Amino acid sequence: MVRNIASYSILTLTICVLLHVSLQTNETIDLSMYSTKGLSLNYTVSDDVNGSNDLIALNTSDDLFSPYLGKSFVGFKEALAFKESGGNYFSVNTYGYLGKYQFGTETLKMIGINNPTKFLKSPSLQEKAFIANTARNKWILRRDIKNFVGKRINGLIITESGILAAAHLAGPGSVKNYLRSYGLDNFADGYGTTVRYYMKRFSGYDTSFVKPNKKAKAI
């Protein structure tokens, strides 16, 4: 009787061990079948100062982040768009700035867009406009990028992406004034957002994708 009980105990223990081992077997997961296409992505641009437009409140918790875009150029433009308009292609703010990236009509003319209504209705044109304007700003600021990237101004290490973001906010002239005055001339837009704030908020992204182009056009 004792011998039978011992045999059953050993058998039970063996089955448990085998189940444990089988459950611990490593299995490679094929991630290629997964995609973020069609998902609504959240970005984490802090709203610790007034935003650059009057929009409905959006969730900008620092606990939310995208592990995929990171500091890439796509991450840069999408984070900037989120700050500008919440990523809304059809947004118009109280100063009349248009679209996902909040362009003014004069800036649009410089990159070849003369029909604001058509621009506002065309997401693809808005994306082209962002690339063209960034390329143009990069050409205008090429010497400042060379001379100031890596330097510290008012406790902030200057980066190329910070310079380009600030140029999108305030224009390349205001960025030149900020850098060449070593932070004394710190332009603020109508909502109180400063050149320094954008330089800090959008620092450290990889913007090498955009090449300097004096004559960059969206059309």
Side-chain angles (χ1 to χ4, degrees):
M1 181 69 174
V2 173
R3 189 175 297 175
N4 288 338
I5 293 174
S7 298
Y8 284 126
S9 298
I10 293 172
L11 180 60
T12 301
L13 180 61
T14 301
I15 291 172
C16 290
V17 170
L18 289 174
L19 285 173
H20 177 75
V21 171
S22 65
L23 290 174
Q24 294 299 313
T25 301
N26 291 328
E27 183 178 350
T28 302
I29 300 174
D30 181 9
L31 296 178
S32 64
M33 68 183 68
Y34 296 95
S35 171
T36 59
K37 183 177 181 181
L39 296 180
S40 177
L41 301 177
N42 292 315
Y43 296 89
T44 58
V45 180
S46 172
D47 201 19
D48 52 7
V49 299
N50 291 332
S52 58
N53 46 43
D54 280 346
L55 299 169
I56 59 173
L58 294 167
N59 187 350
T60 57
S61 167
D62 286 337
D63 293 328
L64 298 175
F65 68 97
S66 168
Y68 305 108
L69 300 182
K71 291 291 186 176
S72 67
F73 176 72
V74 176
F76 169 72
K77 75 181 186 68
E78 294 302 323
L80 183 58
F82 188 80
K83 180 60 180 171
E84 290 286 332
S85 70
N88 181 3
Y89 284 110
F90 310 106
S91 170
V92 180
N93 77 1
T94 54
Y95 289 95
Y97 287 84
L98 306 167
K100 179 179 177 180
Y101 301 100
Q102 295 291 277
F103 277 98
T105 54
E106 292 304 312
T107 299
L108 291 177
K109 289 178 183 178
M110 287 189 291
I111 55 175
I113 299 173
N114 297 300
N115 188 332
T117 301
K118 179 181 177 181
F119 170 79
L120 191 62
K121 293 179 180 179
S122 175
S124 63
L125 184 55
Q126 292 185 36
E127 295 297 337
K128 291 176 182 177
F130 180 79
I131 299 296
N133 189 56
T134 304
R136 181 178 175 276
N137 286 339
K138 194 168 184 177
W139 185 87
I140 295 171
L141 292 163
R142 63 196 185 283
R143 293 190 180 91
D144 297 275
I145 290 170
K146 179 180 178 181
N147 293 334
F148 288 98
V149 166
K151 291 186 177 179
R152 188 182 294 272
I153 296 179
N154 286 343
L156 174 65
I157 296 177
I158 304 301
T159 67
E160 181 179 283
S161 63
I163 288 175
L164 294 177
H168 183 85
L169 170 77
S174 295
V175 175
K176 284 186 178 184
N177 292 340
Y178 177 85
L179 294 172
R180 297 179 187 185
S181 70
Y182 284 85
L184 294 178
D185 190 344
N186 188 19
F187 172 89
D189 73 356
Y191 298 103
T193 307
T194 64
V195 165
R196 185 186 186 279
Y197 172 73
Y198 259 45
M199 283 195 179
K200 179 180 179 181
R201 174 51 56 197
F202 301 105
S203 67
Y205 286 87
D206 180 5
T207 51
S208 60
F209 170 82
V210 178
K211 306 304 178 186
N213 185 349
K214 179 181 180 180
K215 299 179 180 181
K217 301 292 182 183
I219 298 177

